[in-house]
């Protein structure tokens, strides 16, 4: 993206480690934020075939909100470069 450069802090936030996901854990969010996170995850699960989405939803339910992590890098304003990741330890 023109005018965007990734920072060292962004690289740390984006580092993929299954056993130690980056970002904030769902249990650290407010109830409203947790609902937004679950809605975001549902948006992506709805794109999967039904059998796969059901399997992932069961896994999320079993793990609980504490098992979902959310990481964000980049701008915090609309139409500006950014990236986010929603991750669990099991996926």
């Amino acid at each position: 993206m023109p005018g965007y450069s990734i920072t060292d802090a962004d690289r740390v936030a984006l580092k993929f480690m299954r056993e130690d996901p980056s970002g904030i854990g769902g249990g650290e969010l407010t109830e409203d934020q947790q609902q937004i996170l679950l809605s975001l995850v549902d948006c992506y699960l709805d794109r999967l075939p039904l059998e796969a989405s059901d399997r992932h939803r069961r896994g999320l339910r079993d793990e609980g909100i504490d098992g979902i992590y959310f990481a964000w890098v980049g701008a915090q304003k609309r139409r500006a470069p950014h990236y986010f990741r929603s991750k669990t330890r099991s996926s």
Side-chain angles (χ1 to χ4, degrees):
M1 298 188 120
Y4 178 73
S5 61
I6 192 166
T7 67
D8 288 340
D10 292 343
R11 285 183 182 83
V12 170
L14 296 174
K15 187 174 182 180
F16 180 82
M17 295 177 58
R18 184 180 309 272
E19 64 282 353
D20 188 23
S22 58
I24 188 169
E28 298 176 58
L29 301 173
T30 67
E31 286 186 34
D32 287 344
Q33 291 169 331
Q34 289 176 358
Q35 290 307 309
I36 292 168
L37 177 58
L38 292 172
S39 293
L40 175 67
V41 170
D42 272 339
C43 178
Y44 286 93
L45 291 179
D46 286 343
R47 297 177 178 193
L48 297 175
L50 186 58
E51 183 179 314
S53 66
D54 286 348
R55 184 176 64 247
H56 286 290
R57 282 189 177 93
R58 278 192 305 276
L60 290 172
R61 217 177 21 251
D62 292 345
E63 233 177 295
I65 192 75
D66 292 334
I68 304 173
Y69 292 80
F70 181 80
W72 178 280
V73 297
Q76 295 182 20
K77 60 183 180 177
R78 290 181 181 266
R79 295 181 179 77
H82 65 277
Y83 172 86
F84 70 89
R85 175 185 295 152
S86 178
K87 176 85 183 77
T88 67
R89 283 194 170 98
S90 61
S91 62

